[in-house]
Structures are given as structure tokens and as C-alpha cells.
Amino acid sequence: MIEISHLYKQFGNDIVALKDLNLMIDRGEFLFIVGSSGAGKSTLLKLLLREILPTRGSIKIFGRDLARLKGRQIPFFRRNIGMVFQDFRLLSDRNVFENVAFTLRVTGVPTREIAKRVPLSLELVGLKGKAQKKPGELSGGEQQRVCVARAIVNRPAIVIADEPTGNLDPDTSMDIMNLLQEINVRGTTVIVATHAKELVDYFQKRVVVLDGGSLVSDQERGVYIHAH
Ligand code: ADP
């Protein structure tokens, strides 16, 4: 479903953020992307979201080369991908329901449909009953659950989580990772970029290790390893 082929990303003349990356990700996979700071994880996620373009090589998602997407096609393409961020990025002046409904509203999903989908999504992440709360009234773990609900409400084929447990304590981190696993079991491809060694080791999923922009290890049922 995702085919990355001889991918390079360079910034300016001398910063090579990604170097000859080759990676195939199948539908329904759960994949950790690990690597120390500066390894190229964020750059890879930005390329997958078509926020930036490769310097060389290609990324194909659902058989389409992202570099060939026209400007007006990009928002439609992105609807296939749900994003979960380390810093939640919730709208603090809107309640939980509206935070989850937001993208549906801007993409013109009918109100009746929104009234069905948002509660389903909130129930799935264990936030039934919190729909009227504002983000500030929730714990960090609950706020991250809202982000997950927002990421899946559009039923995307892929969910990408960028350091989703970076602001959470260990127990809550485990809960969020379990939730992402559950979403994966329901059929969504899940990609998690993280530093959380204990979680990566615990879940024993596929682990791709980046170091200095290169893919240095790709293991099924892997553990977190440092390249050095
Ligand atoms: P990670 O997410 O693994 O910490 P990044 O993808 O953010 O790594 O960064 C990889 C390398 O590319 C680093 O050397 C970083 O400084 C550089 N880099 C990332 N984005 C930019 C940018 N917009 N301009 C210049 N250099 C960048």
C-alpha cells in the first residue's frame, strides 16, 4: 500500500535528511519507526503526508506517486491518512465533540452523518460521556484519546502517529499504544514514530530503524535498537 523507493531528501546543499530509503508497507501493518533525534523520522512523515517533496526517488501510496498529485488533489489524498501528534493540537475553545467533528465539517460531511460518526469514534477510544468537555478539562491521556478519535473519524486507511506518547506518563502511554493497536486490529495501517523504547520492545511489531537518514534495520517483531 505504501511503496518507498530510493527516497532521498536533502535540505540546502549539505543536509541529507534521508538517504536511499526503500520500504514497503502492506495494508493492515503496524509499524514502528525509531531512531535518535535527527535520524530523519519527521522528514519521512512529512513526505508521507505530501507536505514536502522528495529530492529523488518516489513514494507511492495506493499506487499513486505522491509527487504527481496536483495541488487540488492533495487535500483529498490526505483524507486517507489520520494524524496523531505528540502535542495533541486540539482546539482549546471547542468541546471534544467539535474537535472530532471539525474536519468532517470542513469537508462538508452532512450534520446527520457527523452526529452518528463522532459518538462512534469517541466510544471506540473510551471517551463516551466526555463529548461536552473542553480539552483543558481532560487529562493528557484523555486529550490524546481525543486526537485518536479525530484521526479515525474519517475512517482513514492509514493512521500516522508522531511520538504519540511523548507527553504522557508510562501507564497512559501504554493505554494509548494499546488503543492504536486496537485500531490496527480493526484493519487500519498504523505507523508510529517514537523514542519509547519500552513500548517498542513490549509490542513486538515491525520496527524500522533510521540512523543519519539511512534505514539501518527493518525487523518483523523487532525491538528498539540503536545503530551505534
Ligand atoms: P527526526 O525527526 O528523526 O528527529 P528530522 O527528520 O527532523 O529527524 O531531521 C533530519 C535531519 O534533517 C536533521 O539533520 C535536521 O536538522 C534536518 N532538517 C529537517 N528539516 C529541515 C528543514 N526544513 N531545513 C533544514 N534541515 C532540516
Side-chain angles (χ1 to χ4, degrees), residues 18 23 38-39 49 53 55 65-66 68 73 90 99 123 126 146 168 174 181 190-191 194 197 208 216 222 225:
L18 290 175
L23 185 62
L49 283 166
L53 286 167
T55 307
D65 186 336
L66 300 196
R68 289 174 191 270
Q73 296 172 319
L90 296 169
N99 266 281
E123 188 169 354
V146 178
L168 304 176
M174 185 61 93
Q181 176 167 251
V190 175
I191 301 172
T194 187
K197 178 185 183 310
V208 166
V216 294
I225 57 161

Side-chain angles (χ1 to χ4, degrees), residues 99-184:
N99 266 281
V100 177
F102 188 76
T103 47
L104 299 178
R105 291 206 195 285
V106 297
T107 55
V109 175
T111 309
R112 222 174 334 111
E113 185 69 19
I114 293 175
K116 266 192 248 161
R117 278 207 227 165
V118 174
L120 272 179
S121 205
L122 287 175
E123 188 169 354
L124 210 145
V125 303
L127 286 182
K128 210 176 151 194
K130 303 269 181 180
Q132 303 308 320
K133 300 270 188 210
K134 295 270 176 64
E137 300 174 278
L138 302 177
S139 69
E142 286 171 333
Q143 290 185 51
Q144 193 55 301
R145 285 173 186 274
V146 178
C147 295
V148 175
R150 179 183 58 188
I152 61 173
V153 73
N154 209 20
R155 300 180 192 131
I158 304 167
V159 165
I160 296 179
D162 189 2
E163 203 70 64
T165 62
N167 287 335
L168 304 176
D169 63 58
D171 284 349
T172 314
S173 297
M174 185 61 93
D175 292 345
I176 292 295
M177 215 58 101
N178 274 319
L179 180 58
L180 290 169
Q181 176 167 251
E182 202 178 307
I183 285 157
N184 172 247

